[in-house]
Amino acid sequence: MTTPHPTRSVLYVPAANQKALAKIADLAADAIILDLEDAVAPDQKATARNNLARFFEKRPDKRLIIRINAMSTEWGADDLAAAKACKPNAILLPKVDSPRDILETDDALDEGDAPKRIRLWAMIETPKAMMNIGAIAALGRDRAARLACLVAGTNDLAKDTGIRMTPDRRYLMPALSQMVMAARAGNLTVLDGVSNDFRDLDAFSAECSEGRNMGFDGKTLIHPAQIEPANRAFAPSEEDVAEAEAIVQAFAADPAQGVIQINGRMIERLHLAQAEKLLAARL
C-alpha cells in the first residue's frame, strides 16, 4: 500500500516570480502550488509559463501542483499544454462549476497522452460548485477521472455569494463543512482556504486549528511564514500517533485479517488507511 503524502501546508507561489521559484527547494511546505492564475497579471502569463518550463528542468524534490487559468479563458489551453509538459504531481483547476469541468480536462490530458499519475485538483470557489459539490466529489471514486483533491477558494466564494468574511468565519462554516463532507464521500483530500493577513500568525494558527477540527487535511498558504504554524496545527498529537502505530503494527503482524481487536476495540482496514494517513502527517 502506498503511503499517503501529507498536505498540512500547501503554498501558492506565483509562477511569474523567479525569486520566489528559486526559494522553493528550501521551503518546508508539504506541497507547492505554482500559480498561473490569480497571482499572475494578464501581460505576464506567457512569461510565467516559460518560467515553469525552466523551473521543471531542475525540478526540486517537492510535490508540485500547477494552477492553470480556467479552460474557458484565453489562457486556459496554453496553460494546460504547458502544465502537461512539466509533468507535475497535479494540475489545479480554478472556477470548477460541475463534474464536466473535471471530465473535459481529463479527456484533454488523455488525448495528449499525459501520464495517469498527473492528478487533478479542483478549486471549490463558486456558488455553482457548491450546488454541484456532491457530483464533483463523486469523481474521486472514479480513478479514471484523476480527481484527487478539493481546494476551498474562500475569497472568491465570499465575493460571489456576498458571505461576510468575519475573523471567526462563522458565515462560511456551512460551505466549509459541506466541502469536507463531500471530500470524505469521494475519498478525496480537502484543503482549507487561505488566510489573507499573513502577518497575524496567532490568528492564522487559530484558523488552522479550526480547520483541522472541521476535518480538513491541511491549509493553503500565501506566505512562507505560514508554513510552520500550519505544519504544527495539522500534525497529529503524540496520543494519536501512538494509536495509529499500534494499528499499523497489528495489521502488519497479521496481514490476512480484515478486522482485529486492540484494547477491546474492533479495528477494520478502513482504520488502517486512516492510521497510515495520520502517520504521514507527523512533524
Side-chain angles (χ1 to χ4, degrees):
M1 182 177 294
T2 302
T3 301
H5 294 280
T7 51
R8 302 163 301 180
S9 54
V10 182
L11 177 68
Y12 287 102
V13 175
N17 188 331
Q18 293 192 53
K19 290 184 178 179
L21 293 177
K23 296 177 181 178
I24 285 175
D26 298 322
L27 297 176
D30 288 332
I32 302 292
I33 296 174
L34 300 153
D35 196 11
L36 293 171
E37 197 215 12
D38 284 349
V40 178
D43 63 353
Q44 291 293 307
K45 299 293 187 184
T47 298
R49 287 193 293 269
N50 291 334
N51 286 348
L52 282 189
R54 291 192 296 271
F55 174 80
F56 273 86
E57 288 176 358
K58 298 181 180 180
R59 177 177 181 159
D61 185 20
K62 294 285 183 181
R63 288 185 58 75
L64 301 173
I65 298 88
I66 297 175
R67 179 164 72 167
I68 65 173
N69 286 273
M71 294 302 292
S72 59
T73 68
E74 61 184 284
W75 310 289
D78 288 340
D79 283 357
L80 184 61
K84 182 186 68 174
C86 290
K87 295 182 173 62
N89 295 97
I91 296 171
L92 175 56
L93 305 181
K95 307 299 186 292
V96 169
D97 283 334
S98 72
R100 180 178 295 276
D101 296 314
I102 306 292
L103 295 172
E104 288 181 349
T105 306
D106 177 56
D107 288 343
L109 290 172
D110 286 346
E111 290 169 4
D113 294 324
K116 273 296 183 184
R117 64 173 179 78
I118 299 178
R119 312 305 292 166
L120 291 175
W121 290 15
M123 295 290 301
I124 304 300
E125 56 185 344
T126 69
K128 285 184 179 179
M130 292 306 306
M131 293 298 97
N132 294 319
I133 194 167
I136 292 170
L139 294 177
R141 298 284 179 180
D142 179 2
R143 185 70 178 174
R146 296 179 187 259
L147 185 62
C149 180
L150 302 181
V151 180
T154 46
N155 285 331
D156 280 281
L157 189 61
K159 174 178 66 70
D160 289 351
T161 60
I163 293 174
R164 192 173 296 278
M165 293 280 280
T166 57
D168 61 6
R169 304 200 299 177
R170 68 176 67 183
Y171 304 114
L172 271 174
M173 288 300 180
L176 294 173
S177 294
Q178 194 172 353
M179 291 181 203
V180 173
M181 292 296 180
R184 296 299 167 242
N187 195 31
L188 297 167
T189 299
V190 59
L191 301 177
D192 197 359
V194 300
S195 180
N196 296 316
D197 187 355
F198 61 85
R199 295 164 299 184
D200 190 346
L201 293 181
D202 289 337
F204 175 75
S205 295
E207 199 168 291
C208 287
S209 295
E210 172 193 82
R212 185 189 176 198
N213 289 337
M214 292 181 68
F216 283 98
D217 296 298
K219 193 164 182 65
T220 47
L221 318 176
I222 60 171
H223 193 277
Q226 297 174 324
I227 295 172
E228 192 277 332
N231 285 344
R232 184 174 64 250
F234 284 94
S237 67
E238 292 182 4
E239 293 79 8
D240 291 339
V241 169
E243 181 180 1
E245 287 177 337
I247 291 172
V248 171
Q249 291 168 7
F251 275 105
D254 196 355
Q257 292 298 318
V259 179
I260 59 175
Q261 181 177 315
I262 299 179
N263 298 327
R265 292 177 55 209
M266 299 305 295
I267 306 296
E268 304 177 53
R269 287 203 165 267
L270 66 90
H271 298 112
L272 173 61
Q274 292 171 344
E276 291 173 329
K277 183 176 181 180
L278 182 146
L279 292 175
R282 286 178 292 186
L283 286 174

